[in-house]
Amino acid sequence: MALQRESTTAHQLVQNALRVLEIVANRGTGITEDELARRTRMPADRLSALLRMLRREGYVEQITDGAYVTGASLTRLGSAHDRTLALREKLRHTLGGLRDSIGAAVYLSRYVDGEIRVTDFADGPRAPKVNEWVDFRVSAHASAVGKSLLAQLDLDARRDHLSRHKMARLTSRTITSERVLLNNLDAQAPTVPVLDLQEYAVGTVCAAVPITAGATVGSLALSLPIEHAHRLREAADTLNRNAAPVLLSLAI
């Protein structure tokens, strides 16, 4: 299955983060920010922002002399023995943080063996998740999650998916024309969130961004009740800016 595009900004940030983490891990006694700047040749402001994110996520720690060493999260994810459990816990913690900061339910999904799978989510009393009244596996044409995943596939893979799942009209806003949907997917910029404006369910709006690690196509999404629709674009931009920690967890 060929990938057509990916979120360049998030991937660049993750590549920079992996480079920093490799340097820190190889310097067991600690390495200063100035030395990291020399080794990575990253601009000071970009490196400082990256280190703040890595500290917040527990991938690095700062010791008494200000040097950086490997953090607890990186140690756990780097252990083959409990990696699966550590990754699940790390993702749930990160998704919970996104839910609280954005004020919306958030979802992590994958495209596996030709099907959509929502693998994890974080909701709450003030951030209710969408009512899955139609299985997400058969409603890719209508949901932000589905459209984000389909947008990352090549044309043949998109057509294969649509040939197996009829484009049913779920609301008055649902796109049911394969030609229109494929044109929309082809025009979708990889760094711009995909929106669902009551296409999947009346009373709910959603947004999703690509979160692809390796050969696995993924998506990070949020949903809001229609009374909070005025917050959707700002929430989607926040989700997009904060997708890198999720992608980094999957890439380590």
Side-chain angles (χ1 to χ4, degrees), residues 55-68:
R55 287 182 64 189
R56 184 174 65 250
E57 296 296 321
Y59 292 123
V60 299
E61 296 175 1
Q62 207 167 12
I63 54 181
T64 52
D65 63 355
Y68 289 91

Side-chain angles (χ1 to χ4, degrees), residues 18-28 31 36 39-40:
L18 291 173
R19 186 180 177 194
V20 167
L21 291 176
E22 181 181 12
I23 295 172
V24 172
N26 288 334
R27 183 70 68 84
I31 184 169
L36 277 171
R39 294 281 300 276
T40 62

Side-chain angles (χ1 to χ4, degrees), residues 168-240:
R169 185 175 298 281
L170 306 183
T171 77
S172 63
R173 294 174 176 265
T174 305
I175 296 172
T176 56
S177 164
E178 180 175 313
R179 178 183 58 81
V180 172
L181 178 65
L182 291 175
N183 285 342
N184 288 352
L185 294 175
D186 195 49
Q188 178 67 37
T191 55
V192 176
V194 178
L195 302 182
D196 160 15
L197 304 176
Q198 299 189 91
E199 297 168 53
Y200 171 77
V202 174
T204 301
V205 293
C206 306
V209 297
I211 197 95
T212 299
T216 303
V217 172
S219 175
L220 186 64
L222 65 84
S223 66
L224 288 166
I226 190 62
E227 55 266 31
H228 294 290
H230 61 283
R231 296 202 294 114
L232 180 62
R233 292 190 182 276
E234 181 181 355
D237 288 342
T238 302
L239 184 76
N240 206 10

Side-chain angles (χ1 to χ4, degrees), residues 90-104:
K90 181 58 182 168
L91 287 173
R92 286 182 176 174
H93 176 77
T94 302
L95 292 178
L98 282 173
R99 174 202 60 206
D100 295 341
S101 63
I102 299 174

